[in-house]
Amino acid sequence: MKNIVVLVSGSGTNLQRIIDTIDNGEIRDAKVTLVVADRECYGLERAKNHNIENILIPRGKNFSSELGRIIPENTDLIVLAGFLSILKPEFCENWTGKIINIHPALLPKFGGKGMWGHHVHHAVIEAGEKESGATVHFVTPGIDEGEAILQKSFAVTGDDTPETVAEKVHLIEYEIFPKAINKVLNNII
């Protein structure tokens, strides 16, 4: 059984999707052993509702070092699921190849500092992009610079708004996140 630690900052819908796809076997031979949040959020409640150990570490300059102290040594994968804090380079290097993130755009476009949530979708519309999507990638010290594991796109139409792009991205995230987690955990890369 592979052990997953999930980091959250918000409502935890991707966390719920991970839990559900473990339960239905889409993600094989795995369990979420710990959920860590960097702020009070509903993601912690989701963890409690599923009897998953959960911890709040307030964001700040010591977040990465505190996180490093509490992550179990037998962790196979750290999953950033709507997690908004930036992890220190040393933490990323200690867990090289074992941290993944989902980003609401087709990286390398629209990645980096400040590119999260609605900021990404506004930038996509402002740039007149013809497509958008989501990318699951390895986390490295460079923000959104890690190798892509899985990516899927959709057409952006003239009628799209940042809100409709966000809805479409979220559906793609639900589809590709479990597949990417399963690929990494079971060495299907």
Side-chain angles (χ1 to χ4, degrees):
M1 188 70 65
K2 304 282 177 53
N3 297 312
I4 302 173
V5 172
V6 181
L7 308 186
V8 297
S9 295
S11 66
T13 56
N14 275 315
L15 167 62
Q16 186 64 56
R17 179 77 174 129
I18 292 165
I19 292 167
D20 292 345
T21 53
I22 286 171
D23 287 348
N24 74 19
E26 188 176 337
I27 297 174
R28 297 189 321 266
D29 303 319
K31 63 182 176 188
V32 175
T33 57
L34 176 64
V35 172
V36 180
D38 63 351
R39 62 199 77 196
E40 285 291 341
C41 62
Y42 191 68
L44 290 171
E45 290 300 314
R46 288 184 194 273
K48 288 175 191 163
N49 293 341
H50 291 279
N51 298 313
I52 299 169
E53 182 182 352
N54 56 89
I55 297 171
L56 170 65
I57 302 174
R59 59 187 163 164
K61 64 179 182 167
N62 295 323
F63 181 86
S64 290
S65 59
E66 290 181 41
L67 180 63
R69 281 194 289 277
I70 65 156
I71 291 190
E73 285 184 28
N74 66 346
T75 298
D76 296 291
L77 188 63
I78 300 169
V79 177
L80 281 53
F83 182 69
L84 299 177
S85 289
I86 304 298
L87 297 168
K88 297 271 188 215
E90 304 80 39
F91 182 88
C92 296
E93 289 162 0
N94 287 341
W95 291 93
T96 297
K98 291 190 170 192
I99 313 174
I100 65 172
N101 180 46
I102 190 151
H103 186 77
L106 298 173
L107 291 175
K109 289 185 174 184
F110 306 104
K113 193 170 176 95
M115 282 287 120
W116 56 273
H118 67 280
H119 300 290
V120 174
H121 310 310
H122 279 282
V124 165
I125 296 294
E126 289 291 312
E129 291 292 315
K130 299 295 181 211
E131 68 176 3
S132 190
T135 306
V136 181
H137 65 94
F138 286 104
V139 174
T140 63
I143 301 169
D144 297 327
E145 293 178 2
E147 177 187 349
I149 299 162
L150 204 54
Q151 194 172 60
K152 187 170 180 181
S153 65
F154 60 87
V156 176
T157 69
D159 295 334
D160 272 318
T161 65
E163 293 76 22
T164 61
V165 169
E167 291 170 10
K168 292 176 183 179
V169 165
H170 216 62
L171 291 175
I172 285 179
E173 288 178 345
Y174 282 175
E175 179 185 344
I176 69 171
F177 213 6
K179 290 177 182 176
I181 291 167
N182 196 50
K183 279 179 72 166
V184 172
L185 281 179
N186 294 297
N187 299 313
I188 310 172
I189 295 178

